[in-house]
Amino acid sequence: MSSSTDWPLWEVFVRSRRGLSHTHAGSLHAPDAEMALRNARDLYTRRSEGVSLWVVPSTAITASSPDEKDSFFEPAGDKPYRHPTFYEIPDGVKHL
Amino acid sequence: MTATPTPAAAPTPTPAPTSAAASAQAAAPARALPANVAALALGDDALVLSHRLGEWAGHAPVLEEEVALANIALDLLGQARVLLSLAGDEDELAYLREERAFRNLQLVEQPNGDFAHTIARQLYFSTYQTLLYGQLASGESELAPLAAKAVKEVTYHQDHAEQWTLRLGDGTAESHERMRRGLDALWRFTGEMFQPVDGIDVDFEALRESWTASVTAVIERATLSVPDGPQSGAWTAGAGRQGLHTEPFGRMLAEMQHLHRSHPGASW
């Protein structure tokens, strides 16, 4: 199965129903976009998981780095006032 | 079983089962009804090709392609189960018949060869199946409901074969040569697809024209040329539809049937 490593990697996004957004399902190898779409059909929708597929070259994705986790995500952890539940609704407000 | 008279019933007279002959002939003549002949021919095609494609499991060039071929094999197995059940008991038909009793095309029993060889077989056969099921689906025979469902499956099989034919033919010098060899080697088994089959009310000459046009378009886009040899072997005295098969088929059947024959009635 060595040629598998020659083929580029693609990320697969599946939309399970109309009205929902595409969700990342996994990745696969394929020689080009058309074949990636077909492989995605065979690998990720064979149990009726989807009605629409996107494939994206993995190299086109810029991901956040685990090293940046502290500066990226931790500061949000102690800011409960960003959640709507932080606020008490005054008694007088009726239509909220 | 009661013989359902179809409007397009073939001229073969169906003998009314007289009480004297009924018990002795009950099983055998039932299978000779045109509808059963048709179901058996198409069911055997699907069963045998399904088994051949299944042989790629663990051997395909890449994991993704292995799943693709297995999916196609399972679609075909599903079709085979419905068709063989129309003709009789599916397990009995699949596992207990001798080579001569199978009615599949010689094309589908041909060994896998290399990947290009398998793709050539897929291109020839899935194009035929797509055209044939398309016509059966719009007809009124007892095969129409199955054909309506199966035509969606085999349209995908055809697309898969076409995509690969284009990539192998118009790929590297090596892949081009292998694709050419596959198309050439299997060409002489393609004529048999257009032999009329009892119980299939389809214009097979028109089918041959559509098939040739479709396959030619793909082969030429793949920068290859349509093989120019005869579409049947000069030496054949009939072919798969008459129960005459090529040598590799016996070995394939032995493998396919040995478990059932060694342990009759086994289940899990």
Side-chain angles (χ1 to χ4, degrees):
Chain A
M1 300 223 169
S2 63
S3 57
S4 179
T5 54
D6 304 338
W7 286 355
L9 194 64
W10 303 77
E11 300 300 325
V12 179
F13 298 82
V14 180
R15 178 159 75 183
S16 53
R17 274 190 285 121
R18 268 177 67 86
L20 296 183
S21 51
H22 286 74
T23 308
H24 187 236
S27 57
L28 52 78
H29 288 96
D32 53 51
E34 288 294 301
M35 291 309 292
L37 210 48
R38 284 160 178 78
N39 288 347
R41 179 260 192 194
D42 286 334
L43 287 167
Y44 294 109
T45 67
R46 56 200 297 266
R47 296 181 186 91
S48 305
E49 291 95 333
V51 295
S52 169
L53 278 171
W54 288 349
V55 288
V56 178
S58 301
T59 51
I61 290 178
T62 308
S64 62
S65 150
D67 299 340
E68 295 164 332
K69 192 164 71 88
D70 289 351
S71 59
F72 262 54
F73 306 116
E74 213 152 273
D78 59 356
K79 297 182 174 62
Y81 49 83
R82 289 177 178 171
H83 293 272
T85 47
F86 180 78
Y87 298 96
E88 280 179 29
I89 300 170
D91 290 341
V93 178
K94 282 180 183 143
H95 304 293
L96 193 69
Chain B
M1 78 179 276
T2 49
T4 39
T6 47
T12 335
T14 319
T18 57
S19 54
S23 60
Q25 299 183 342
R31 299 231 172 102
L33 288 171
N36 287 345
V37 172
L40 205 56
L42 301 185
D44 284 350
D45 282 351
L47 174 67
V48 171
L49 185 58
S50 167
H51 190 85
R52 279 296 185 209
L53 290 173
E55 291 172 358
W56 273 108
H59 301 278
V62 292
L63 182 63
E64 286 81 355
E65 199 45 44
E66 179 164 309
V67 177
L69 291 172
N71 273 343
I72 293 173
L74 286 172
D75 285 346
L76 290 167
L77 191 62
Q79 295 166 18
R81 293 193 59 185
V82 175
L83 287 161
L84 293 183
S85 297
L86 289 174
D89 179 88
E90 53 173 328
D91 279 352
E92 212 172 282
L93 288 171
Y95 295 123
L96 296 175
R97 270 182 303 163
E98 300 290 332
E99 185 182 330
R100 281 291 185 112
F102 277 81
R103 292 293 179 260
N104 55 281
L105 298 165
Q106 290 181 352
L107 174 67
V108 297
E109 76 202 27
Q110 296 310 306
N112 289 335
D114 60 15
F115 184 69
H117 196 88
T118 290
I119 291 300
R121 194 182 59 200
Q122 285 302 110
L123 180 72
Y124 290 157
F125 185 71
S126 62
T127 303
Y128 165 76
Q129 250 193 332
T130 305
L131 293 168
L132 184 61
Y133 281 167
Q135 290 202 35
L136 286 174
S138 58
E140 287 173 359
S141 73
E142 115 180 84
L143 301 175
L146 164 92
K149 176 169 176 284
V151 74
K152 293 176 196 152
E153 294 171 345
V154 298
T155 301
Y156 186 80
H157 304 173
Q158 188 188 5
D159 174 74
H160 174 264
E162 181 180 328
Q163 297 295 332
W164 271 118
T165 304
L166 295 176
R167 280 161 181 77
L168 294 171
D170 196 9
T172 64
E174 172 79 14
S175 72
H176 178 91
E177 176 55 20
R178 285 180 184 239
M179 195 66 228
R180 187 196 62 73
R181 269 200 308 243
L183 291 170
D184 281 0
L186 295 168
W187 184 249
R188 69 189 173 92
F189 297 106
T190 56
E192 194 195 348
M193 295 190 287
F194 311 108
Q195 277 183 15
V197 178
D198 241 11
I200 299 185
D201 186 24
V202 161
D203 180 349
F204 278 90
E205 267 317 300
L207 192 74
R208 179 199 288 272
E209 280 170 31
S210 315
W211 181 88
T212 307
S214 171
V215 164
T216 302
V218 176
I219 292 177
E220 288 180 351
R221 270 179 67 206
T223 73
L224 291 153
S225 35
V226 177
D228 53 7
Q231 281 180 282
S232 63
W235 45 271
T236 49
R241 294 277 190 247
Q242 285 78 45
L244 297 176
H245 295 283
T246 53
E247 192 233 334
F249 185 52
R251 290 199 297 276
M252 195 210 94
L253 269 192
E255 186 174 311
M256 190 178 92
Q257 297 184 332
H258 96 268
L259 190 69
H260 190 88
R261 286 183 185 270
S262 310
H263 305 278
S267 64
W268 70 83

